[in-house]
Amino acid sequence: KQEVTQIPAALSVPEGENLVLNCSFTDSAIYNLQWFRQDPGKGLTSLLLIQSSQREQTSGRLNASLDKSSGRSTLYIAASQPGDSATYLCAVTQDSGAGSYQLTFGKGTKLSVIP
Amino acid sequence: KAGVTQTPRYLIKTRGQQVTLSCSPISGHRSVSWYQQTPGQGLQFLFEYFSETQRNKGNFPGRFSGRQFSNSRSEMNVSTLELGDSALYLCASSFNAGKGYTFGSGTRLTVV
């Protein structure tokens, strides 16, 4: 059974700092990995999608890497801003059989960026 | 391009009642998945529908059921509600797994 772990569970940084969020998974047979952002009481916003054959993806100040063989992914946020404060979730997609895929999520990292 | 629409946004129900939640996927997306989010368990997979067929189901009791219509809209139903069913229920749609998933804003269900 796939297990996804995110460390740290919470992180507080001053504005402007660069930071790294970590995600690890136990089964390397993944289809892809997706990073999401969740604001309090809201749904999930997709940030980056990395296919299993890719090593990294970039969008603006965000960079996500994937090392499938070691079961690790990182999300790098450059020059953090107070608006980046949210919970960041990592999810891996796996083939569940019969053409179905499902996401397995980590518990998330709650980020607070202090002005 | 409209996103994933979930209705209603909030629901308060009494123990023992039943509830139906609705999800309209992005146009052209035929896969709809449902997830339950609670503070203790995080996000857990409920089920996935594709072209009106349930393709996969998570480890939830039979009180949780769903269906998908020919226009890809999906509903999930929870019967005989329990206090522990209080959660944020999220729906996600996908064109195919390789293109990732788009989530709706969720329905917050409170059982009293």
Side-chain angles (χ1 to χ4, degrees), chain B:
Chain B
K1 182 176 177 182
V4 179
T5 303
Q6 291 189 246
T7 56
R9 288 298 313 277
Y10 303 93
L11 269 175
I12 299 176
K13 291 287 187 179
T14 304
R15 268 185 306 175
Q17 286 187 313
Q18 77 165 20
V19 67
T20 300
L21 313 181
S22 179
C23 172
S24 293
I26 290 173
S27 179
H29 287 192
R30 291 194 291 168
S31 170
V32 175
S33 303
W34 289 88
Y35 291 81
Q36 181 196 64
Q37 186 177 32
T38 59
Q41 299 296 317
L43 277 146
Q44 293 185 287
F45 172 76
L46 281 157
F47 27 65
E48 189 233 357
Y49 286 87
F50 183 87
S51 293
E52 302 179 66
T53 301
Q54 185 183 89
R55 291 201 297 194
N56 194 11
K57 183 172 167 59
N59 189 25
F60 279 82
R63 300 184 297 107
F64 290 82
S65 63
R67 59 179 176 168
Q68 186 180 35
F69 301 95
S70 58
N71 62 357
S72 294
R73 188 177 72 86
S74 177
E75 290 181 347
M76 69 163 280
N77 184 78
V78 188
S79 62
T80 320
L81 284 165
E82 300 177 359
L83 295 179
D85 297 333
S86 295
L88 180 66
Y89 289 87
L90 292 162
C91 164
S93 80
S94 172
F95 179 76
N96 62 55
K99 294 193 180 298
Y101 295 82
T102 302
F103 280 78
S105 298
T107 293
R108 170 74 62 184
L109 172 65
T110 303
V111 183
V112 297

Side-chain angles (χ1 to χ4, degrees), chain A residues 6-85:
Chain A
Q6 291 187 246
I7 294 174
L11 181 64
S12 184
V13 301
E15 181 177 0
E17 195 161 292
N18 302 325
L19 60 102
V20 174
L21 307 181
N22 296 292
C23 171
S24 62
F25 45 95
T26 55
D27 184 352
S28 62
I30 65 169
Y31 195 67
N32 54 41
L33 182 146
Q34 204 164 351
W35 282 94
F36 295 92
R37 166 188 173 137
Q38 186 174 34
D39 293 288
K42 302 290 179 64
L44 307 184
T45 299
S46 180
L47 298 173
L48 289 164
L49 171 69
I50 311 177
Q51 303 298 338
S52 61
S53 58
Q54 296 177 318
R55 297 286 292 185
E56 65 179 307
Q57 279 288 336
T58 298
S59 177
R61 295 183 293 110
L62 305 180
N63 175 278
S65 69
L66 174 63
D67 184 342
K68 199 176 80 159
S69 61
S70 67
R72 295 175 189 275
S73 176
T74 62
L75 178 66
Y76 174 83
I77 302 177
S80 59
Q81 302 170 358
D84 295 331
S85 298

